[in-house]
């Protein structure tokens, strides 16, 4: 048999000259459009989170923007002291059932310490997300997390863990978001009681850690101007700006190292970005493609009925919230419609835009949702049904009621144990007011319904429990 020889040294050297895109070649306009469109879709959530970090990078201290949005410099926490305000426009589908807060963490600057108080029997979770909106820590009542101190570190951190730290969680990205959520009952007494708990929630750079619990009266946080501005149309703040995407994208990708299998994708995108930043003509082509992708790919995903696992009666859900990995479609759809969702074992969400006949929910009509006997949502925590207007924010109403569930203590059950919730703009009268979830008062506004199961039961996680139909009267 003839001898089979491998490549010679010259051939091996040539093989290693170019291992990715050749950055010296001329790129066609159609190729730039293809790559720009694709990159805009899958990188949209990463750019979204990194833009939030940039927006607040120069803040001198914690504050409430417009009196409603808790913000602060990187690696500091700011808490609200009550439910989120209806006028908040920074995060779509805000959680109406808990006292919440926010920290943008910059783990490339420093690891941070999360301070967890004793919550007693109160439901709580401190959500910790990387810039892909994937969870990288487990802190909450469902995990049996004991009070104490926990360290969040970036992917490149090397150092000694301080004495007194109970556990270290390592992120795959340098930028992240921390969102505490603490249940409070819908009573003045519990509003007062919850203050002592939330005043002990903390987050600060590791250099400030001394092993002692720190206290913060969040009612003393100063109020700042209402910036950044909300979208002119009344929707969520536009964190992903089309005109800035080309220059923001390489910064965001440098912050988020490639997942396994993504290195070639990163190289392809960055080669096109580099060419577009050098050539004005390609920059224009890139920006046009991004604008088209926003209109044709991203905007439709704001509607819940355009994504998710389809369920009976036109409801939908997702099974990989905060664990998206390389599921680019679901991650971007969730980031557009209701960013910062929890893992499903923490909070299981169900989405609805349509009535039982498949028609769009609209406040010109009246609806009922009836939970049959024994079919109340299965939870170890609690549940709620929320209503959001066409922008996925709260619809102002006379009761200031934006969700309904056990926390409100107003629900009246039928004799057989079933429960009917009324969804409509006009009051159903005093006899039924306790079961009323007000729809937008404009008389002809589209809206969506959203069921949250906090610490859901196994039947919900396995799909054996799903919501009932929304019946138009």
């Amino acid at each position: 048999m003839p001898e089979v020889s491998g490549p010679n040294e010259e051939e091996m050297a040539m093989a290693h000259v170019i291992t990715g895109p050749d950055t010296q070649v001329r790129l066609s306009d159609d190729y730039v459009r293809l790559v720009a469109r694709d990159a805009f879709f899958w990188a949209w959530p990463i750019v979204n989170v990194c833009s939030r970090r940039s927006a607040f990078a120069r803040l001198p201290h914690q504050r409430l923007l417009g009196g409603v949005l808790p913000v602060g410099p990187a690696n500091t926490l700011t808490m609200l002291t009550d439910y989120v305000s209806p006028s908040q426009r920074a995060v779509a589908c805000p959680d109406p059932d808990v006292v919440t807060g926010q920290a943008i963490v910059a783990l490339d600057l420093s690891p941070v310490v999360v301070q967890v108080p004793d919550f007693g029997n109160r439901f709580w979770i401190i959500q910790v997300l990387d810039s892909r909106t994937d969870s990288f820590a487990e802190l909450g009542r469902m995990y049996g997390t004991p009070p104490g101190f926990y360290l969040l570190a970036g992917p490149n951190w090397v150092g000694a863990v301080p004495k007194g730290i109970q556990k270290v969680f390592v992120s795959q990205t340098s930028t992240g978001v921390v969102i505490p959520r603490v249940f409070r009952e819908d009573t003045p007494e519990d509003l007062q009681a919850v203050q002592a708990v939330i005043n002990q929630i903390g987050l600060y750079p590791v250099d400030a850690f001394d092993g002692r619990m720190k206290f913060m009266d969040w009612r003393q946080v100063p109020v700042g101007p209402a910036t950044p501005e909300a979208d002119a149309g009344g929707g969520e703040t536009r964190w992903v700006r089309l005109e800035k995407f080309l220059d923001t994208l390489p910064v965001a990708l440098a912050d988020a190292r490639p997942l396994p299998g993504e290195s070639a994708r990163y190289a392809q995108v960055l080669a096109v970005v580099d060419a577009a930043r050098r050539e004005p003509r390609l920059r224009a082509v890139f920006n046009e493609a991004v604008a088209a992708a926003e209109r044709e790919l991203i905007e439709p995903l704001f509607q819940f009925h355009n994504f998710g696992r389809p369920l009976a009666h036109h409801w939908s859900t997702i099974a990989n919230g905060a664990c998206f990995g390389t599921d680019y479609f679901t991650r971007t759809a969730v980031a557009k419609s209701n960013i910062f969702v929890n893992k499903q074992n923490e909070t299981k969400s169900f989405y609805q835009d349509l009535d039982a006949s498949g028609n769009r929910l609209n406040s010109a009509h009246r609806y009922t949702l009836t939970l049959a006997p024994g079919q109340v949502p299965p939870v170890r925590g609690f549940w709620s049904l929320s209503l959001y207007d066409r922008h996925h924010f709260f619809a102002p109403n006379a009761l200031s009621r934006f969700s309904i569930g056990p926390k409100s203590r107003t629900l009246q059950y039928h004799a057989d144990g079933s429960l009917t919730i009324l969804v409509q703009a006009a009051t159903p009268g005093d006899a039924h007011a306790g079961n009323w979830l007000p729809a937008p008062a404009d008389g002809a506004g589209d809206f969506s319904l959203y069921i949250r199961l906090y610490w859901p039961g196994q039947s919900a996680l396995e799909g054996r429990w799903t919501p009932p139909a929304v019946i138009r009267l």
Side-chain angles (χ1 to χ4, degrees):
M1 290 182 62
E3 182 178 350
V4 178
S5 62
N8 58 38
E9 292 185 3
E10 181 179 357
E11 291 172 328
M12 292 181 64
M14 289 297 295
H16 290 286
V17 170
I18 300 175
T19 58
D22 184 347
T23 59
Q24 303 302 311
V25 302
R26 182 185 300 112
L27 300 181
S28 69
D29 290 3
D30 285 339
Y31 176 72
V32 171
R33 290 189 188 97
L34 172 70
V35 174
R37 187 179 178 91
D38 180 59
F40 186 75
F41 187 87
W42 65 260
W44 198 92
I46 306 174
V47 172
N48 185 306
V49 173
C50 288
S51 295
R52 293 172 191 261
R53 172 177 171 176
S54 298
F56 308 124
R58 292 186 174 87
L59 288 177
H61 52 72
Q62 295 131 308
R63 63 181 63 177
L64 296 178
L65 293 186
V68 300
L69 179 63
V71 298
N75 297 338
T76 64
L77 172 71
T78 310
M79 288 291 298
L80 295 175
T81 57
D82 199 354
Y83 299 137
V84 66
S85 168
S87 62
Q88 184 273 140
R89 288 295 181 271
V91 180
C93 293
D95 193 325
D97 306 306
V98 294
V99 180
T100 188
Q102 175 183 260
I104 301 294
V105 294
L107 301 176
D108 51 328
L109 301 181
S110 169
V112 297
V113 173
V114 178
Q115 178 176 289
V116 175
D118 186 350
F119 289 91
N121 292 325
R122 190 182 295 272
F123 175 91
W124 69 277
I125 185 168
I126 298 179
Q127 184 181 30
V128 182
L129 301 169
D130 63 20
S131 66
R132 289 187 173 88
T133 65
D134 282 344
S135 175
F136 69 93
E138 295 181 340
L139 300 170
R141 187 175 177 191
M142 67 287 304
Y143 299 114
T145 306
F149 305 96
Y150 299 83
L151 189 71
L152 309 181
N156 302 316
W157 180 68
V158 176
V161 179
K163 183 179 180 181
I165 295 294
Q166 294 187 233
K167 192 169 184 178
V168 178
F169 299 100
V170 179
S171 173
Q172 292 184 323
T173 70
S174 297
T175 298
V177 183
V178 176
I179 305 174
R181 294 183 173 97
V182 183
F183 171 76
R184 91 160 179 88
E185 293 183 354
D186 202 5
T187 65
E189 294 78 14
D190 201 49
L191 174 60
Q192 182 62 34
V194 78
Q195 304 305 316
V197 179
I198 64 173
N199 286 349
Q200 299 177 63
I201 304 174
L203 182 146
Y204 37 82
V206 68
D207 288 348
F209 174 64
D210 58 10
R212 293 179 293 182
M213 192 73 70
K214 306 179 191 303
F215 297 85
M216 176 67 180
D217 186 351
W218 297 112
R219 289 172 293 192
Q220 303 303 315
V221 173
V223 174
T227 56
E229 295 182 0
D231 175 64
E236 184 184 63
T237 299
R238 287 194 171 268
W239 299 105
V240 181
R241 309 294 301 192
L242 301 182
E243 69 279 9
K244 296 181 178 180
F245 185 80
L246 177 62
D247 295 316
T248 305
L249 180 58
V251 177
L253 294 185
D255 183 271
R257 62 174 57 182
L259 296 176
E262 286 189 329
S263 294
R265 180 184 289 265
Y266 270 49
Q268 178 193 44
V269 169
L270 292 174
V272 170
V273 166
D274 182 62
R277 295 174 77 180
R278 286 187 281 107
E279 297 185 37
R281 180 182 61 81
L282 291 184
R283 176 182 284 268
V285 171
F286 189 100
N287 287 340
E288 289 171 4
V290 160
E294 170 78 9
R295 182 176 62 254
E296 298 165 7
L297 299 177
I298 303 294
E299 289 293 346
L301 295 179
F302 186 74
Q303 304 297 326
F304 290 132
H305 58 268
N306 286 335
F307 73 92
R309 291 186 174 186
L311 304 175
H313 313 303
H314 305 291
W315 286 92
S316 62
T317 189
I318 59 171
N320 58 348
C323 300
F324 301 111
T326 55
D327 183 354
Y328 305 115
F329 179 78
T330 304
R331 182 174 69 191
T332 296
V334 170
K336 177 61 181 178
S337 60
N338 64 138
I339 198 169
F340 305 144
V341 299
N342 288 96
K343 292 163 63 175
Q344 72 163 0
N345 67 300
E346 299 168 348
T347 305
K348 179 70 173 173
S349 301
F350 298 89
Y351 312 127
Q352 183 63 280
D353 290 334
L354 311 173
D355 66 20
S357 299
N359 298 312
R360 190 68 174 84
L361 297 176
N362 188 281
S363 60
H365 307 290
R366 297 181 298 129
Y367 305 89
T368 61
L369 184 149
T370 298
L371 298 165
Q375 291 301 306
V376 171
V379 292
R380 298 185 67 183
F382 65 105
W383 64 270
S384 73
L385 171 67
S386 302
L387 186 148
Y388 297 104
D389 67 13
R390 63 189 179 91
H391 299 298
H392 287 186
F393 289 107
F394 298 137
N397 60 80
L399 297 181
S400 293
R401 180 182 292 168
F402 310 112
S403 70
I404 195 166
K407 77 179 178 73
S408 60
R409 298 186 177 182
T410 64
L411 295 177
Q412 297 178 344
Y413 290 76
H414 299 299
D416 64 355
S418 63
L419 172 66
T420 298
I421 296 174
L422 310 175
V423 182
Q424 58 190 62
T427 174
D430 292 345
H432 303 288
N435 290 26
W436 175 36
L437 183 59
D442 57 16
D446 287 346
F447 65 87
S448 299
L449 296 175
Y450 193 128
I451 293 179
R452 289 180 174 89
L453 276 57
Y454 299 83
W455 196 1
Q458 200 62 29
S459 61
L461 295 176
E462 295 174 354
R464 290 182 283 111
W465 183 93
T466 59
V470 180
I471 305 297
R472 174 177 159 181
L473 300 179

